[in-house]
Structures are given as C-alpha cells and as structure tokens.
Amino acid sequence: MADALSLIPTAVQRNLSDKLYEKRKYAALEIENTVKNLTSAGDHEKLSKVIDILVKEFAKSPQPNHRKGGVLALAAVTVGLSSAAPQYLEQIVPPVIESFIDQDSRVRYYACEALYNIAKIVRGEFIFFFNQIFDALCKLSADSDPSVQSAAHVLDGLVKDIVTESDEFSAEEFIPLLKERMNVLNPYVRRFLVDWITLLDSVPDFDMLGFLPDFLDGLFNMLSDSSHEIRQHAVSALSEFLQEIKNSPSVDYGRMAEILVQRASSPDEFTRLTAITWINEFVKLGGDQLVRYYADILGAILPCISDKNEEIREVARETNEELRSIHVEPSDGFDVGAILSVAKRQLSSDHEATRIEALNWISTLLNKHRAEVMSFLYDIFDTLLKALSDSSDDVVLLVLEVHADIAKDPQHFRHLIVFLIHNFRSDSSLLERRGALIIRRLCVLLDAERVYRELSTILEGEDNLDFASTMVQALNLILLTSSELSKLRNLLRGSLVTREGKELLVALYASWCHSPVAIISLCLLSQAYQHASVVIQSLVEEDMNVKFFVQLDKLIRLLETPIFTYLRLQLLEPGRYPWLLKTLYGLLMLLPQQSGAFRILQTRLKTVPTYSFSNGGDQISRAFSGVPFSQYMMHHHEDGDAEDYNINSSHQGINFAARLQQFENVQNQHRGQARIKRTTLIAPPLLLHQRR
C-alpha cells in the first residue's frame, strides 16, 4: 500500500481531502496528469494501483471530505485514461454509484458530477452499468436535497442520450427493473419513470409495446396520483401506447386484459374510465386472442354499466353490446360456464342496470348456446328463482323471460312451476307483492292454459292447506281480472258445451276446492250456475270466517266489472237462467246486510225486470222449490245448468255430484285443520288447570 501511495504525491493526497472544493479540484487535475503519464507509458499495473488507492483511501473513507475528493479523482482518472478508460470501468464506476446513497448530500452531488464526466468520456461503454445507474438515478430523483436532484437530472439527460445512441442497450434486462420500480409512490420517481418509458418508446429500435404488459399496471396506478402533473404524464404515455396498439398487427392482448379488468374496479373514477376505454378498444381489436378472457372482461364491464359517472356508463354499455355481438363457439375456447358464473354473481349487484344486463347475457347465451347453458342450469337456477323477489319490476319481468326460455323443455317447465310454488310458500310477501306480475307474465310467455293446469296439478297435492287456499285465491283473482287471461276465461265460459272447456274446468276444479269463493267464481265463469248454487248451500258455519267474507266481497265487486257482463245480461232472462238467480240470492243471503257488497248485489238483483219472470215460470219455480240437498247429490250427475235443457246432452261428461263430493272432502280437511289449531291454542291453559 505504501508503494502505491507513493504514486500520488503527499501534497496531492492532502489537497484531495481538503474541505475546500478548489483544492480538491486542483488535486484531481494533478491525478489526471499522473494518469495520463502512466497511460502513455502503458503501465497498467500502476494505473490499477492508483485507482485502488483512490477507491479504498478516499471514495470509501469514513471522512466526508475524503469521499468528495475520491469521486472527483475517479472522474479525473477516467479523463486521463481517455480511450483506455473502458477497461478500467469496473474499478471506477461501482464506487461512484455507491456514493449516490452517501449520507452526506455533497458527496451525492459530487458523485453525480463525477459520473457525468465519466459518462462523457466512455459513452457507449457506459451501457454495461445501465441498470445500476438507472436504479441509482431513480432514487436520486427523489433526493431530499434540491441540488442533488438537479445534478441527477443533468446526469439523467446524458444517460438518455447515450442509451438512444447505443446498439448495446438490452430492454430485456432493463424491463424487470422498471417493473419493480413502477410500484413506487413518490411523485418524483414516478415522473422519472414515465419520462424513461416515453423516451424508450420513441426510439424506433426499441419495442416497448411488446413489454407494455410488464409496466402497464404501474402506469394505471399513476392515474390516481395526487399530482396533476404525474397524472397528465401517465395519460399521455397511455394514449400513445393505445394508438400504437391500434396500429400494430401483433399485440399481447391477453396479459394486458387481465390488468385492465382489475383496474376497471378501481376506486379512482379516472382510472376506471381509462381502463374501460382500453377494454372497449381491446374488444374491438383483440379478436380470438381475448376469447378466454371474455368472462373476466364481462365481470369488469357489468359493474361499470351502473357507474355513477355517465361517461363510464356509456363506454361500458357500448363495450357490453360489442362483446355480446361477437360470434364465438365453445370450440374456440369460449367458456359458457364462466360467463354464466359472472352473470350469476352480478345478479346480486345493488344496481338495477347491472342486474338487467346480467339477465340479458343469460338470455343471449340461451339463444346462442342453449345446450351448454342447460348443462350448467342447476348452478344458476336457484339464483334465477331468487331474482323473482327483486325490488325492480323490470328485473322480474326479464328473469321471467329467462325462466320461460328455459321452460321450453317440458321437464324444466314443471321444475319451474314447482320451484315457483315453493318460493311463494317460503316467502308469503313474494306472493303478495309479485304474485300477480309473475303469474301474468308467465301466462303470456308460456301459454296461460299450460301454466294454470300445471299450477292446479301441483296445488291439488299441497300439504300446507292454508298456503293452498291462499295460492288458489290469488290464482282465481288473476284469472278473473287479468287481460292476459282473457282467452282462458273464454275457454271456461264454454266449458258446458266444448270438450276443451270441460277439460280445463275439471283440471282447475281439484285445486280450486281449497277455496269456496274460488269454486263459486269458477262456476260463475263456467256458467255452471246450478252447481254454484249447490256449493253455496253446502257451506257450513265453520266456513263463515273473515277471510271468506273478504274473498266474497271481492267477488261481488268483480261481478260489476266488464268481465261478467255476460252474466249480468243473463239476468234479463231469469226464466232461462233460474240457477243464476238462485246463486246470486244465495250469495246475498250469506253477506252481512250492513256490508257494501250486500248493497251492491241487492241493488243489482233489484234491477232484474219483473216482466221477464212471466216466461219460464215453471223453471224458476223448480229452481226455488227447495230441492233437498241429499236428493241433489243422488241425481245431479250432469253439468247442472238445467236452465237450458237443450244443451244437456253436450255436457254430460262432467259429473258434478262427484265434483261436489271432492269439494266437500277438501273443505272437511280445512275444517279439521282449523279445529286442531283452535284446540292447540286453548290446550295450554287446560293442561295447567289439570295440573293444579
């Protein structure tokens, strides 16, 4: 070491560590001259020893002034070496770079100055240390000392010039470092990184677009930076890359799509807008490359359709339509199950627009890939049923269309009706709030007769009698009031003369037995007036409860609606329809005189013209003669509309006596259940009394 130190005069060593810059600078010039002489002599061993001394005794010294002099001297050595400098760079550059993290800001400043001078001499040879220099400059860009930042900025400019001129720059080695640094939050570092990305992208020889997936997420992360300047730089860089993507024949859409999907759910509004805009372009440009990412893309689009920002909503809707219009097959990698899974998940969204589009996707998939959808049916069926309870009528109507589409297959039709009744049973509020809407819409989509027949078949065997009664009352009200069921009502009006009407009446009768008022309504609608009258006479005291009178009140008011116009006109001919008159008087006798329904029906019956009784008096007399109920049960095997004897032969297929027995049996079950409930309610006090 002593021999090596002798190569540098003592005065030079002393000045090199002096606190005054001028003395250190003078000493550096002396070393430069010494190096020049040694270089001219070709004494490489002594040159190497001089560099080692400057590194160990000065650049890495514990004394700050020594370190300042050390980095200046290393730059001077490089100048002295001139063209021979590249072969000594591995000795010179690393200690200078290490000085970038020195605790003393002046050391860091002089290190920047030294490396600048070194870079000017070696130019392209400098690239070998690029990643280390870049990493150091990245940190210095956020230095706490403004003078150091300024010096680093000057050095950075030179390094950029060298990189753009060099043929040796390796983007493959640089990108991993860039990717790692992209997660830094410091605004100065972010600005530094974006500047480098923009610069390298501007160099034709560098394919930065090919590496975009590696740092795209970092650029998107900058869009929410608190600094307006950083956001603008990030936007500018992203816009340039997007334009390049549009013009490039080869782009790795898949990896970037994954990033965009994540960013589309960012809490930052501008980030979401930028991400969804990119996704929109990718869907238009990506083609087959994006098929396996469709589910992820859809998962990003659907929530954005309900975004609070109108621009995001518009772009999301456009992207959604674009995606849905693309024709792909499962053989192309299109995953129907994954799309259905996304749609199912989005049906739980808090936003109506998103739920609607999720249902539209299910409907689209049913139309395009029915077989595949049906194979995943049990994965989504429960969710679709729950959607019937949605707070939005539009959602409910749309989910009914999906259900109707599924129910085109007979086995799924029954499945739908069974689950629908199950849902009504489990959630009584659903029946109250949405029952009419659901049933009416299904009748339009799936044929009213088919729906009502299936509902009746299932309710006939319903164990929960209270629910069966409530359900039948709801179905009966829909039948009597809904315009969608007018064809079904017309079919029932002809049940005494047509085979189709008779079969429908018999099909509904079994379940309608759960409600006396529903049976009476069905008979009035079917013009089976004699049977209606007999049903009324079969009612007992136990049947006269509040629910019964509420239902009866509704029926009386419905008799005044256009649907029963034909019935009111038949009152003009009591001689021809005596059982109708007796039925209405029977209902009148059941009603409390103080009720509004009583007054309505009484007023109607008062309008029956008296002159019309002169013809057919015998028939009326027979109708009001008080035929014993037991005798009726023995002989009443026809349809019961004895008022028109000319058509008896056409409706003898309906055994009304058997129907009445069926009604009685069901009502006895209801009465028995009601008695059990009453006994249960009073049993505890009795048991307590017995114990005492």
Side-chain angles (χ1 to χ4, degrees), residues 359-545:
L359 288 168
N360 281 332
W361 266 97
I362 296 175
S363 181
T364 298
L365 292 175
L366 274 169
N367 292 332
K368 291 183 177 181
H369 309 287
R370 185 176 183 84
E372 288 78 7
V373 173
M374 299 309 280
S375 69
F376 293 102
L377 181 61
Y378 290 100
D379 294 336
I380 63 171
F381 200 73
D382 279 349
T383 303
L384 288 172
L385 285 170
K386 290 176 183 176
L388 293 172
S389 303
D390 197 277
S391 58
S392 164
D393 285 350
D394 290 337
V395 172
V396 172
L397 291 174
L398 194 53
V399 80
L400 285 172
E401 289 185 18
V402 173
H403 276 302
D405 202 353
I406 294 171
K408 288 177 181 177
D409 298 336
Q411 70 272 27
H412 295 304
F413 171 75
R414 179 169 177 81
H415 196 191
L416 168 62
I417 302 301
V418 167
F419 270 87
L420 189 61
I421 289 178
H422 171 74
N423 274 20
F424 284 146
R425 185 191 305 111
S426 304
D427 183 4
S428 58
S429 64
L430 176 63
L431 180 60
E432 295 172 7
R433 293 183 291 105
R434 288 283 166 68
L437 176 67
I438 292 170
I439 299 299
R440 288 167 58 187
R441 190 60 186 162
L442 282 180
C443 286
V444 171
L445 297 169
L446 292 172
D447 179 63
E449 182 178 355
R450 184 186 180 199
V451 171
Y452 261 70
R453 279 177 174 271
E454 193 65 41
L455 285 167
S456 181
T457 300
I458 296 170
L459 288 171
E460 183 180 355
E462 175 61 45
D463 294 330
N464 187 334
L465 299 183
D466 287 341
F467 167 72
S469 177
T470 301
M471 188 73 199
V472 165
Q473 290 165 15
L475 292 174
N476 184 64
L477 187 62
I478 296 168
L479 175 63
L480 296 178
T481 58
S482 300
S483 58
E484 295 89 345
L485 275 72
S486 59
K487 183 179 178 181
L488 201 62
R489 289 195 294 271
N490 290 335
L491 193 60
L492 283 169
R493 285 190 193 116
S495 59
L496 302 185
V497 294
T498 66
R499 178 180 59 82
E500 294 82 1
K502 179 196 74 174
E503 291 176 352
L504 178 59
L505 175 60
V506 172
L508 298 184
Y509 193 97
S511 60
W512 257 240
C513 286
H514 285 291
S515 170
V517 176
I519 278 290
I520 295 169
S521 303
L522 186 64
C523 291
L524 293 176
L525 194 58
S526 305
Q527 302 186 68
Y529 301 135
Q530 184 175 357
H531 186 65
S533 178
V534 176
V535 167
I536 292 170
Q537 293 181 55
S538 73
L539 299 176
V540 299
E541 180 182 346
E542 286 182 84
D543 301 325
M544 304 293 116
N545 52 41

Side-chain angles (χ1 to χ4, degrees), residues 254-265:
R255 287 177 62 200
M256 289 189 284
E258 294 177 347
I259 295 168
L260 296 174
V261 164
Q262 295 297 322
R263 288 298 170 181
S265 60

Side-chain angles (χ1 to χ4, degrees), residues 27 42 96 105 114 160 220 224 243 250 270 287 298 306 308 333 363 384 391 441 454 471 480 540 553:
V96 177
S105 63
K160 285 174 179 172
F220 266 90
S224 58
Q243 191 59 46
S250 177
F270 186 66
L298 182 62
S306 303
K308 59 184 179 181
S363 181
L384 288 172
S391 58
R441 190 60 186 162
E454 193 65 41
M471 188 73 199
L480 296 178
V540 299
D553 184 277

